[in-house]
Amino acid sequence: MSATALLGSWITQQIVFSGVVNGLVFGLLAMGIVLIYRSTRVINFAVGNLGLPGAALFALMVINWNWPFWLALAVVVVIGGLVGGVTEIVVVKRLFDRPRIVLLIATVGIAEFWRAIVALTFPDVEGDQDRFPVAVGRSWDDVWGVRIDGGDLQIIVLVPLVALALGALLTYTTIGKAVSASADNPALSRLSGINPHVVSTLVWTVGGVLATVSMILLSAGQSANGVENLGPFTLTHALAAAVVARLRSFPVAMFAGIAIGVAKNLFDFNFLDDPGLSTLFVFVVIVVALWWQSRDDHGEAVLAFVPKVRPLPSRMLTVWWIRNLSRLVLVPALVLVVLFTWHHESIFSFINDIQAVWEAPDRIRPSQFFLWSTIVAFTICVASLTVITGWSGQLSIAQLAYAGLGAFTAAALNRGAELDIGWGTTRLIDVEFPAIPTIPAIVLAAFVTAAIAALTGLGALRVRGLLLAVSTFAFAIAAESYLYDRPFFSGGDNSVVFPRGWLFGWDLSDQRTFFYFALGSMVLTFVLIGHLRRSGVGRSIIAVRDNPDTAAAYTVSPVRTKLVAFAVAGGIAGLGGGLLGNASRQISSGESLFRVEDSLQAVNMVVIGGLGSVIGPLLGALWTLGLPAFFPDSNLISLMASSVGFLIVLMYFPGGFVQVAHNARDAIIGWAERRLPAQPHHDSPTSAPSIVRDHRSSEPATLSVRDVSVRFGGLQALRDVSIDVRDGEVVGLIGTNGAGKSTLMNAIGGFVPSTGSVELGGTDLSAMRPTARARAGLGRTFQAATLFPGLTVRETVQVALESRYRSSFVRSALFLDGAIEKRRSADADDLIDFLGLGRYADSFISDLSTGTRRIVELGGLLAVGARVLCLDEPTAGVAQRETEAFGPLIVEIRREMQASMLVIEHDMPLIMSISDRIYCLEAGSVIAEGEPDAVRNDPLVIASYLGDDERAITRSHV
């Protein structure tokens, strides 16, 4: 076959044309995403669903109410703008100053809200036509070799006009210039009189218009009653185009949308046996695009927004009922649940008798175990978000996709499956698995899902926060449309049946028995999650979330920790999915299970219940699933239990329902603590604990830096810098702002790419990551001293002690880490007392003053046992009286640790008094080196700080 014939067999003019048509709409939506992101740094997951009300109303106006097409279009475009503007005023403006991750989560709720409004409140379209209206009702069969219908024509005409109008609005109008100024330099735009809130309202209004036009254009030729089903699949293509455009370029977003539209058509046409393969392609496009641009600044990294739970003070651990307060509440509640469900028939009979007296509708049926099993299984799935979002700070919109993979894997293992991977006649993997019982199948499926989650979580190694949500959303779409139908999962059938087995003589085919099994699984999951949070594994995950650089400086690997978080969350979701599938007995990819909407609903649940808490997922599941089941005919209750309730909680009660329980607990603990005798605190350093010198190498603490250079794009930040820090020395590093001091320390620590060599005690560190350099004995503090806002002082020191007692996930999961946790806690208390921080031991880092945080940071270096300490402006932001105490403290720490120090400091009297030698940098190069007096009087140093003006030098008394 010739190359031309082969090409024509998989690509035709009609395929390309249809792809261009669809791609134009994807590009238009992508422009809306870019518009809102550029002006407000928010990735808008509601950009498609904002157009659903207008599109649904348009169909009603034209078909049911016989409005003229163009008049109806004009009206709904205005309504679409109002939908966007009102959404911004009611929700976005309230959350405007919160971390961007909170706003992104809010857009998930907004998307669900408008989808639910259309589905629950809009009447069905009933008229002479059952298809969505188009401007021109005819088609042309052969126009340059392609068939064009009315829907295609209106897209070809309207999308370029709308895109050009948007470009003109942003380029030539005052509004557009305000949007551009707000995007390029928000701080300067405020000084210029540009109100960012007004800009936000304007761009959300324009976004509503673009969404409405896009959804009307995409709906052309579709069922007039199916418009609400277009949202998620349309959004993933638009997000892919926006990500390819780096969330910045409107033209690139449009061309990327067209390219994705063409590629989608090619996949759909040429792989008819693999429907949905195009969604996997879109996922790959997003991952590749994010990987290549992950070094770009896409706004703020993920910040924790979960409420802080006051830790139990150490002296309260001696009070038995305080120590076991949670058990005293939860165990009786669990017993009541078992008793209630065991005698549910008689209880329901009594309730129904009361309802009959009041002539109330009979809403309670004798058999509710399927509902309860579903709630329990869903709770386990939602609990995975406690780990990945609450602890790790990464918003995953794919947890129910992992649950689906867990369910289908359990079904495959239960029936016996074949894993056949190959291309053509070439087989890469061909393995047959024997059938195994139900319970082992569910457990093994959880481990398989954990591995899948860790694999997909590799994207988190270079992508954080907002952009990770984009990739997980695309994965959820790909799983629903493609992965679930793979032969290994489905067995080649449209539906998968779960034959229930037995457990220790219990027949799990009985609904009540299965409910108790699911309930026991949920309790074990909660116990495991609670224990992990109190272990080194949980502390490390939160530390990496809050500050990956400082975590790395404390020898905690951000890469390993993120993958552990993804694996744990995926395994929990897989367990819940296996139980959810078994509760349903029969599942298929087309059913209302494990869809992207369910993943969005899981986010709703965990926020409503209380993100980051152990019990929050259960409260959210009871509210979201249980409440509508009790009031099945109430649309208001349905909305309050999902999107409306979610948005209200996010805006006004960010701690969720569990915050009420936390407040009650804190009140009880505070009451009990006030009745205990006061405990003395050490307010000044005590004698150094033996841990300070434990596990230290006997090698000399020498640091040798040779010809280090750093370049950021076209900026040469450092040029062939060489310095030495000899054993036991304190070496000062001075220079004006922008001289390259912090960049040099970052290069020494491995936090920025550099050339040259860095040696510590004769060991070359140049090829090592920051974590490995820290383990080799290189300590580092940072200018901001933010540490880990979500951890207490004791927990922060315990994170640093990971360098001595490495936490093992397996040991923690099996509850075999008790001895090492006790030793770590005792050593942390010793260090805290040595630094005089006893009164702050149970305080959160975010509640401390800058000076206290810096002392805690030094405590972390003591815990790590570093041989060379790199201190970046240790007195920055510290009050003068605290600064005066820092000099002796640094000298004392140097003596106790027998370490060398490289110190950046702008306080000249301090740095001159503690340094043995000093280097001065200017424009990325060393201009002077020597003893403090020699450097202070060096003409080049004086000129660097004061310039060449003799009058300035004379006035300075140098």
Side-chain angles (χ1 to χ4, degrees):
M1 181 181 293
S2 66
T4 303
L6 182 63
L7 184 66
S9 66
W10 67 270
I11 183 171
T12 66
Q13 291 175 285
Q14 188 66 49
I15 292 173
V16 174
F17 172 75
S18 298
V20 170
V21 170
N22 290 331
L24 283 168
V25 185
F26 298 153
L28 189 62
L29 276 174
M31 291 177 68
I33 295 172
V34 171
L35 172 66
I36 291 178
Y37 181 84
R38 282 188 55 185
S39 58
T40 59
R41 292 295 189 218
V42 177
I43 296 179
N44 182 15
F45 271 70
V47 69
N49 284 13
L50 281 177
L52 292 180
L57 182 61
F58 178 73
L60 288 171
M61 294 173 70
V62 174
I63 298 176
N64 282 18
W65 306 333
N66 297 316
W67 281 53
F69 180 94
W70 295 107
L71 178 60
L73 179 63
V75 171
V76 298
V77 163
V78 173
I79 291 175
L82 289 175
V83 167
V86 169
T87 299
E88 196 282 335
I89 292 171
V90 174
V91 179
V92 177
K93 185 165 291 185
R94 173 117 191 144
L95 303 171
F96 193 81
D97 296 323
R98 301 275 295 278
R100 299 297 95 177
I101 188 68
V102 178
L103 273 170
L104 186 149
I105 290 178
T107 64
V108 172
I110 292 168
E112 175 61 21
F113 171 78
W114 288 118
R115 189 199 66 80
I117 286 292
V118 172
L120 295 176
T121 64
F122 277 56
D124 289 338
V125 175
E126 297 175 353
D128 295 335
Q129 63 185 80
D130 60 355
R131 294 293 172 182
F132 204 88
V134 294
V136 180
R138 57 167 297 189
S139 61
W140 297 264
D141 291 330
D142 190 6
V143 179
W144 294 305
V146 299
R147 183 180 186 276
I148 303 176
D149 60 29
D152 298 334
L153 181 62
Q154 66 187 24
I155 289 175
I156 295 171
V157 172
L158 288 179
V159 170
L161 291 177
V162 173
L164 290 173
L166 178 62
L169 175 70
L170 295 176
T171 304
Y172 300 111
T173 67
T174 303
I175 294 175
K177 293 176 181 177
V179 170
S180 299
S182 180
D184 295 338
N185 195 327
L188 183 60
S189 66
R190 288 176 184 267
L191 295 176
S192 302
I194 298 174
N195 189 331
H197 293 287
V198 174
V199 171
S200 177
T201 303
L202 287 173
V203 297
W204 274 81
T205 300
V206 175
V209 170
L210 294 178
T212 301
V213 172
S214 299
M215 298 309 291
I216 289 174
L217 295 176
L218 272 176
S219 300
Q222 305 292 327
S223 171
N225 287 309
V227 64
E228 70 274 9
N229 296 319
L230 291 174
F233 292 91
T234 305
L235 175 59
T236 188
H237 294 85
L239 283 170
V243 168
V244 171
R246 299 177 181 265
L247 295 169
R248 291 190 177 95
S249 172
F250 293 111
V252 174
M254 177 57 72
F255 287 116
I258 294 172
I260 289 171
V262 172
K264 176 184 181 300
N265 268 21
L266 289 175
F267 274 96
D268 291 343
F269 177 77
N270 290 283
F271 298 95
L272 296 177
D273 294 335
D274 287 322
L277 184 61
S278 62
T279 59
L280 185 64
F281 161 74
V282 171
F283 168 67
V284 172
V285 167
I286 289 177
V287 170
V288 171
L290 293 178
W291 183 266
W292 283 108
Q293 61 184 277
S294 59
R295 294 184 183 276
D296 293 350
D297 178 17
H298 283 284
E300 119 184 69
V302 171
L303 297 177
F305 59 94
V306 297
K308 299 184 180 71
V309 181
R310 180 191 178 193
L312 193 65
S314 57
R315 69 194 192 110
M316 298 301 295
L317 294 175
T318 59
V319 183
W320 180 87
W321 69 272
I322 289 290
R323 188 172 64 249
N324 295 280
L325 185 60
S326 60
R327 295 182 181 90
L328 293 175
V329 174
L330 296 178
V331 171
L334 182 62
V335 171
L336 287 175
V337 169
V338 174
L339 291 175
F340 177 83
T341 54
W342 192 264
H343 300 286
H344 72 286
E345 292 92 347
S346 57
I347 295 173
F348 285 161
S349 177
F350 174 73
I351 294 175
N352 288 332
D353 289 343
I354 295 176
Q355 289 179 327
V357 171
W358 291 95
E359 297 182 349
D362 185 8
R363 293 195 181 97
I364 301 180
R365 295 180 297 277
S367 178
Q368 293 286 319
F369 285 110
F370 171 71
L371 172 63
W372 297 337
S373 298
T374 300
I375 292 175
V376 168
F378 224 106
T379 296
I380 297 175
C381 297
V382 176
S384 66
L385 282 165
T386 295
V387 177
I388 193 62
T389 301
W391 298 356
S392 187
Q394 306 284 1
L395 178 59
S396 171
I397 312 182
Q399 292 313 109
L400 263 293
Y402 296 130
L405 293 174
F408 284 104
T409 300
L413 296 174
N414 198 202
R415 70 172 181 270
E418 179 180 3
L419 181 60
D420 184 5
I421 300 177
W423 185 265
T425 59
T426 303
R427 303 264 68 80
L428 301 177
I429 299 176
D430 190 359
V431 181
E432 291 188 8
F433 296 91
I436 61 176
T438 300
I439 306 306
I442 293 176
V443 174
L444 286 176
F447 283 99
V448 171
T449 311
I452 295 173
L455 183 63
T456 57
L458 287 172
L461 303 185
R462 289 168 61 98
V463 177
R464 296 192 295 176
L466 305 182
L467 294 181
L468 181 64
V470 176
S471 63
T472 56
F473 181 82
F475 178 78
I477 293 288
E480 177 183 344
S481 302
Y482 180 74
L483 296 180
Y484 296 161
D485 290 327
R486 296 306 88 208
F488 173 78
F489 295 122
S490 65
D493 298 327
N494 293 327
S495 63
V496 176
V497 179
F498 285 85
R500 290 185 186 166
W502 54 270
L503 177 66
F504 303 125
W506 287 3
D507 182 8
L508 292 183
S509 62
D510 176 70
Q511 289 282 3
R512 176 159 60 183
T513 304
F514 184 81
F515 165 71
Y516 289 133
F517 170 66
L519 182 65
S521 300
M522 183 190 74
V523 172
L524 289 177
T525 301
F526 283 178
V527 171
L528 174 62
I529 291 176
H531 181 72
L532 287 177
R533 173 57 186 88
R534 296 186 297 272
S535 72
V537 174
R539 289 189 297 268
S540 296
I541 291 174
I542 293 176
V544 170
R545 174 198 73 189
D546 285 353
N547 195 331
D549 287 346
T550 299
Y554 287 170
T555 74
V556 174
S557 170
V559 171
R560 174 180 173 273
T561 304
K562 287 180 180 180
L563 290 181
V564 167
F566 266 92
V568 172
I572 294 172
L575 173 64
L579 292 171
L580 194 57
N582 269 271
S584 302
R585 298 297 300 271
Q586 183 171 346
I587 59 175
S588 69
S589 59
E591 289 184 355
S592 181
L593 274 177
F594 313 125
R595 298 183 303 169
V596 67
E597 289 90 346
D598 298 312
S599 289
L600 297 176
Q601 188 181 48
V603 175
N604 290 358
M605 290 183 190
V606 76
V607 172
I608 289 172
L611 183 58
S613 69
V614 175
I615 201 68
L618 176 59
L619 299 178
L622 288 173
W623 177 267
T624 305
L625 298 178
L627 198 61
F630 197 77
F631 298 96
D633 301 323
S634 174
N635 290 341
L636 178 61
I637 292 295
S638 180
L639 286 173
M640 287 301 299
S642 57
S643 54
V644 173
F646 165 75
L647 291 173
I648 291 175
V649 168
L650 193 63
M651 289 189 293
Y652 298 99
F653 309 101
F657 292 155
V658 79
Q659 187 63 54
V660 178
H662 289 164
N663 292 339
R665 168 189 175 274
D666 291 346
I668 293 172
I669 293 174
W671 174 83
E673 191 174 15
R674 288 191 297 270
R675 278 153 180 77
L676 287 180
Q679 190 177 47
H681 295 289
H682 297 290
D683 293 324
S684 59
T686 61
S687 59
S690 61
I691 185 179
V692 171
R693 300 187 185 91
D694 285 350
H695 304 284
R696 291 169 53 83
S697 170
S698 59
E699 294 293 330
T702 58
L703 177 67
S704 177
V705 179
R706 290 289 174 268
D707 301 323
V708 167
S709 298
V710 175
R711 176 181 290 274
F712 300 114
L715 174 65
Q716 186 77 45
L718 291 178
R719 180 180 291 105
D720 298 326
V721 174
S722 298
I723 66 172
D724 290 296
V725 181
R726 294 188 284 268
D727 189 20
E729 273 192 325
V730 175
V731 175
L733 194 60
I734 65 173
T736 57
N737 288 332
K741 305 182 297 298
S742 294
T743 301
L744 175 59
M745 274 203 178
N746 286 334
I748 293 172
F751 294 99
V752 296
S754 63
T755 60
S757 65
V758 178
E759 293 186 0
L760 178 61
T763 301
D764 190 357
L765 309 181
S766 305
M768 294 184 183
R769 293 180 178 272
T771 304
R773 298 190 190 199
R775 290 173 183 167
L778 188 64
R780 171 72 195 276
T781 68
F782 294 86
Q783 214 173 86
T786 54
L787 291 174
F788 314 118
L791 297 179
T792 64
V793 171
R794 179 180 288 107
E795 289 176 321
T796 297
V797 177
Q798 287 175 325
V799 169
L801 286 170
E802 289 288 320
S803 62
R804 300 169 186 267
Y805 319 114
R806 186 69 55 193
S807 295
S808 164
F809 170 75
V810 174
R811 291 182 63 85
S812 296
L814 296 176
F815 294 80
L816 299 176
D817 57 347
I820 196 171
E821 281 294 325
K822 287 182 179 178
R823 186 174 180 184
R824 189 187 288 119
S825 179
D827 287 348
D829 288 340
D830 286 344
L831 283 169
I832 289 170
D833 288 340
F834 168 65
L835 293 169
L837 295 171
R839 69 172 60 189
Y840 303 108
D842 297 310
S843 299
F844 286 101
I845 295 295
S846 59
D847 297 333
L848 302 179
S849 67
T850 303
T852 306
R853 288 202 312 272
R854 293 197 179 279
I855 295 176
V856 176
E857 194 174 34
L858 293 176
L861 294 185
L862 290 174
V864 171
R867 291 184 290 147
V868 174
L869 311 183
C870 297
L871 311 182
D872 193 347
E873 298 192 35
T875 66
V878 177
Q880 183 59 38
R881 62 182 181 83
E882 293 178 307
T883 299
E884 294 170 357
F886 250 85
L889 178 61
I890 291 174
V891 173
E892 174 71 10
I893 290 175
R894 189 266 299 264
R895 183 183 65 81
E896 292 291 347
M897 295 187 67
Q898 299 176 358
S900 306
M901 290 187 176
L902 177 64
V903 184
I904 297 176
E905 186 53 67
H906 285 290
D907 189 316
M908 285 301 160
L910 173 63
I911 196 66
M912 294 294 172
S913 66
I914 66 173
S915 298
D916 298 305
R917 290 185 302 113
I918 289 179
Y919 288 90
C920 182
L921 292 184
E922 169 72 15
S925 300
V926 175
I927 60 172
E929 179 267 330
E931 295 183 355
D933 287 340
V935 172
R936 177 166 47 199
N937 295 305
D938 190 295
L940 292 177
V941 176
I942 295 173
S944 175
Y945 275 90
L946 301 176
D948 296 327
D949 193 326
E950 292 291 340
R951 291 170 297 178
I953 297 175
T954 301
R955 285 197 301 269
S956 70
H957 303 291
V958 174

